[in-house]
């Protein structure tokens, strides 16, 4: 994973609540077996609508999404994170996120910045007053700079640390291999195993 | 102070804990399907890693699989590639797989319990948000993303921050015709789609204690629809009876040792939950959704609400948008809403008990003009069992289509989809825009309401017949 310390880019106001991962990328787009190429499916139901924010030229090249509450709820599909990243988003700002989506984002390197809904409203207003305006998101200071205003955002310390250092979770866990093996040696023998396979008579 | 059920299971799985870091949890059972695994297997391959515990891992094909002509090659080349990729990965990494045509192929959350692999006190994960289904057995079960799938494959563990705990106390006798599905839809309407965020939930109370395993699975299944990390029910005699004799259930002395442990898995009397919600089951009636998230539901006897019924501006705007998408007018009685399609199936309501309940209602009746009904058993074994009981004949004589097992129209990754503008009554778990096909409109219902709706052509319960 690449290190992330700060990012400056065009802010896109998405004035909708409950944008679930089916809206971010519908199931028909999930059939690829790679991690790339999902940008076509991003918000696909809305991409033909000229009024949709990403279809407005000022916002098309956006990289910071200011989302409504309960963004990324529903399905566990990490494809939603990849679609946002493949499109060019680096940061999602919002007041409430689906748990699995937030976890997936942290693993994949997409920064989820949590602020109060009142801050979201202010950020929407700023991004709409000057379409195409750039925001800066600083992970070191945990701040968003929008125009001449600065807002603090929340992110859990461990995820922030991993993003700042660009650490790979699996590599970290494998350094604890001894602990895993020790734990395994204490598991009771009656716990189920999938192998050898047993099936009903 | 005592411990909650979820804390007990959590504590038993902590491999390592350190200040400022999430706990490293051991995973007892990892279920895999074709949609969320290809990139994870790829990651292993690139890093030269293996699946650490193939004996704790199992795969099946469900999301893309057709429900007609299942012995023919999959027609959609992209779906075929995804399924073929899973088969090749399973072979390469030594993972057990139940493929199309196999009796234990089916929706991943149906086959774990069916094989007896899902057991009390386990940690169960799957790259699928409805993994909480397995919590009905007193397992700590939750959905994960593809990066986490790869993490579990490589290490059999997951770093996890401990969520808060919540009790949902459901008490009293359910009125006739009211099912587990109605309970959970009413709960979500009450607490909202974000109400459970950050919590592991334990469903408890005498209503739950009297409920079948199938009903408990239906409720736990929809935990994610109100944002909860996981949903659990304490294991009891109903759980043990369901497991006994299943292929992977322990036997002999192992059974006794297992049951002795399972009996310790309950919330201590002096344990304190971080939050509690109470539901009076006696006040419930058949419940259906009118909008585009599972929290937008009302009793079937009510009318479609309007934006002005919501004080919160966000909820008001969401209602406006939902009414437009659903093409509904505020004040319309729910009973008057006509549907084109009825879908009976999914990991929420695709088990044998659900098929039996619906068959009982449609037996001897005929389907409403212009309505199509798809009956999709949750697994090939559920299908076989239903056929043994003659349920397939009841459904086909009624005028429904009897299909092969899989996710099917729950998410429309295979050809089973709604056409734009079509309206369904569906026993699945998500009424999101376009979930069952682009432009499709979904009303979430119980199997009983699905069956009665197929007879009348408008949203109905058996009491309306
Ligand atoms: S039946 Fe529906 S909800 Fe369940 S696993 Fe399949 S797609 Fe997901």
């Amino acid at each position: 994973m690449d290190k992330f310390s700060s990012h400056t880019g065009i802010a896109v106001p998405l004035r909708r609540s409950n944008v679930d991962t089916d809206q971010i990328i519908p199931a028909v787009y999930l059939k690829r077996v790679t991690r790339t190429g999902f940008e076509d499916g991003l918000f696909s139901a809305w991409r033909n609508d000229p009024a949709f924010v990403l279809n407005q030229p000022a916002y098309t090249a956006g990289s910071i999404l200011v989302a409504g509450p309960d963004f990324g709820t529903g399905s566990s599909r990490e494809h939603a994170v990849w679609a946002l990243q493949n499109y060019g988003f680096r940061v999602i700002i919002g007041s409430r996120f689906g748990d699995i989506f937030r976890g997936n984002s942290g693993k994949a390197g997409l920064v989820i910045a949590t602020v109060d809904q009142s801050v979201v409203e202010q950020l929407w207003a700023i991004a709409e007053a000057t379409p195409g305006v750039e925001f800066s998101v600083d992970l070191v200071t945990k701040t968003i700079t929008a125009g001449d205003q600065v807002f603090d955002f929340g992110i859990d310390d461990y995820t922030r640390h991993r993003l700042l250092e660009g650490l790979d979770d699996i590599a970290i866990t494998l350094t604890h291999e001894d602990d895993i093996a020790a734990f395994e040696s204490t598991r009771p023998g009656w716990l189920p195993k999938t192998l050898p396979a047993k099936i009903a008579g | 102070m005592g411990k909650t059920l979820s804390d007990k299971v959590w504590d038993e799985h902590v491999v390592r804990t350190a200040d400022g870091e999430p706990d490293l949890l051991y995973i007892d059972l990892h279920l895999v399907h074709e949609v969320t695994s290809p990139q994870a297997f790829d990651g292993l391959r690139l890093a030269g890693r293996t699946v650490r515990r193939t004996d704790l891992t199992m795969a099946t094909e469900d999301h893309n699989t057709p429900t007609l002509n299942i012995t023919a090659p999959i027609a959609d080349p992209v779906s075929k590639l995804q399924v073929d990729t899973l088969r090749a990965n399973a072979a390469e990494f030594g993972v057990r797989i139940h493929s199309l045509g196999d009796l234990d192929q089916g929706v991943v959350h149906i086959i774990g319990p069916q094989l007896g692999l899902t057991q009390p006190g386990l940690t169960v994960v799957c790259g699928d948000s409805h993994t909480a289904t397995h919590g009905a057995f007193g397992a700590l079960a939750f959905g994960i993303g593809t990066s986490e799938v790869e993490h579990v494959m490589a290490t059999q563990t997951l770093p996890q921050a401990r969520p808060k705990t919540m009790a949902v106390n459901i008490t009293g006798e359910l009125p006739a015709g009211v099912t587990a599905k109605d309970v959970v839809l009413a709960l979500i309407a009450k607490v909202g789609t974000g109400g459970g965020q950050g919590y592991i939930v334990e469903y408890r109370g005498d209503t739950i204690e009297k409920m079948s395993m199938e009903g408990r699975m239906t409720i736990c299944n929809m935990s994610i629809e109100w944002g909860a990390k996981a949903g659990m029910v304490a294991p009891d005699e109903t759980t043990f009876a369901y497991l006994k004799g299943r292929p992977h259930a322990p036997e002999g002395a192992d059974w006794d040792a297992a049951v002795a442990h399972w009996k310790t898995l309950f919330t201590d009397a002096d344990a304190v939950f971080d939050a509690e919600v109470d539901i009076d089951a006696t006040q419930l009636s058949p419940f259906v959704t009118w909008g585009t998230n599972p929290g937008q539901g009302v009793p079937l006897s009510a009318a479609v609400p309007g934006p002005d019924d919501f004080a919160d501006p966000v909820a008001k705007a969401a209602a406006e948008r939902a009414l437009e998408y659903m093409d509904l007018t505020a004040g319309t009685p729910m009973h008057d809403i006509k549907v084109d399609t009825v879908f009976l199936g999914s990991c929420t309501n695709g088990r044998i008990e659900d098929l039996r309940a619906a068959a009982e209602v449609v037996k001897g009746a005929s389907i409403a003009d212009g309505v199509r009904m798809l009956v999709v058993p949750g697994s090939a074994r559920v299908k076989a069992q239903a056929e043994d009981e003659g349920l397939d004949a009841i459904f086909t004589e009624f005028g429904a289509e009897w299909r092969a097992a899989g996710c099917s129209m729950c998410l429309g990754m295979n050809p089973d989809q709604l056409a734009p503008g079509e309206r369904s009554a569906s026993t699945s778990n998500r009424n999101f825009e376009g979930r069952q096909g682009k432009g499709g409109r979904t009303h979430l219902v119980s199997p009983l309401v699905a069956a009665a709706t197929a007879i009348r052509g408008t949203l109905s319960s058996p009491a309306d017949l």
Side-chain angles (χ1 to χ4, degrees), chain B residues 62-63 107-109 128 130 221 346-347 407 410-411 429 435:
Chain B
D62 53 5
H63 284 65
V107 181
V108 65
H109 310 307
D128 192 282
H130 292 100
N221 173 273
S346 88
C347 58
C407 296
C410 175
L411 92 166
N429 44 44
R435 169 79 176 181

Side-chain angles (χ1 to χ4, degrees), chain B residues 7-287:
Chain B
D7 283 332
K8 287 182 182 177
V9 179
W10 186 285
D11 291 343
E12 283 173 10
H13 289 85
V14 176
V15 169
R16 180 178 180 276
T17 171
D19 265 358
E21 288 179 32
D23 288 348
L24 191 64
L25 286 191
Y26 198 80
I27 302 302
D28 293 315
L29 179 63
H30 185 195
L31 302 171
V32 174
H33 67 76
E34 77 274 18
V35 182
T36 53
S37 65
Q39 297 85 355
F41 280 114
D42 240 9
L44 292 184
R45 208 177 281 118
L46 282 172
R49 292 174 179 141
T50 57
V51 174
R52 180 182 177 93
R53 293 294 301 264
T54 50
D55 60 340
L56 303 180
T57 311
M58 186 177 72
T60 193
E61 304 158 4
D62 53 5
H63 284 65
N64 278 273
T65 50
T67 57
L68 288 172
N69 302 324
I70 61 164
T71 50
I74 298 177
D76 175 354
V78 214
S79 286
K80 180 172 187 302
L81 174 65
Q82 202 164 57
V83 171
D84 286 347
T85 302
L86 178 64
R87 291 177 188 176
N89 282 330
E92 179 183 339
F93 288 90
V95 171
R96 170 178 175 184
I97 182 169
H98 291 288
S99 288
L100 259 187
D102 177 330
L103 257 184
D104 286 297
Q105 177 267 340
V107 181
V108 65
H109 310 307
I110 305 266
I111 67 173
Q114 166 181 301
L115 285 163
L117 281 165
T118 302
Q119 296 178 14
L122 302 186
T123 45
V124 181
V125 297
C126 174
D128 192 282
S129 59
H130 292 100
T131 308
T133 313
H134 307 265
F137 291 79
L140 174 60
F142 51 91
I144 58 178
T146 298
S147 293
E148 292 174 308
V149 168
E150 183 180 339
H151 195 283
V152 175
M153 286 174 170
T155 70
Q156 204 58 36
T157 64
L158 264 187
Q160 289 286 312
R162 189 192 285 255
K164 293 176 287 186
T165 60
M166 186 191 293
V168 176
N169 306 305
I170 310 172
T171 50
E173 195 170 337
L174 282 172
V178 181
T179 68
K181 183 65 164 287
D182 304 302
V183 173
V184 70
L185 286 174
L187 167 68
I188 301 170
K190 176 176 168 140
V191 296
T193 52
Q197 229 175 68
Y199 291 97
I200 298 178
V201 173
E202 181 181 339
Y203 301 99
R204 52 211 311 260
D206 59 289
T207 318
I208 295 288
E209 285 159 23
K210 288 194 201 102
M211 200 175 270
S212 67
M213 286 313 296
E214 284 87 349
R216 295 176 189 182
M217 283 189 255
T218 298
I219 291 186
C220 288
N221 173 273
M222 291 193 68
S223 301
I224 185 74
E225 306 312 337
W226 56 293
K229 168 101 181 166
M232 302 176 80
V233 173
D236 60 9
E237 294 301 329
T238 305
T239 321
F240 310 154
Y242 182 96
L243 278 167
K244 181 106 191 160
R246 296 206 174 248
H248 283 274
E251 293 174 90
D254 280 348
W255 172 262
D256 298 336
V259 172
H261 178 63
W262 296 345
K263 287 186 170 168
T264 67
L265 301 174
F266 57 86
T267 292
D268 296 328
D270 57 344
V272 178
F273 290 92
D274 296 310
E276 301 209 30
V277 175
D278 296 325
I279 301 277
D280 179 356
T282 65
Q283 296 304 307
L284 298 177
S285 61
F287 216 86

Side-chain angles (χ1 to χ4, degrees), chain B residues 379-465:
Chain B
S379 72
R381 198 172 288 281
V382 169
K383 177 170 185 273
Q385 189 178 350
E387 287 169 357
D388 278 349
E389 297 178 16
L391 304 185
D392 58 326
I394 295 175
F395 284 116
T396 49
E397 279 160 26
F398 171 67
E401 298 176 38
W402 180 248
R403 297 292 190 92
C407 296
S408 177
M409 198 184 270
C410 175
L411 92 166
M413 262 186 105
N414 76 352
D416 307 341
Q417 296 181 15
L418 293 180
E422 266 188 333
R423 186 181 296 282
S424 77
S426 176
T427 65
S428 56
N429 44 44
R430 286 190 174 140
N431 50 347
F432 297 158
E433 290 181 19
R435 169 79 176 181
Q436 298 192 290
K438 195 170 180 178
R441 301 175 173 129
T442 302
H443 296 273
L444 300 178
V445 301
S446 74
L448 293 179
V449 169
T453 300
I455 296 172
R456 286 173 40 107
T458 58
L459 291 177
S460 305
S461 76
D464 302 317
L465 297 172

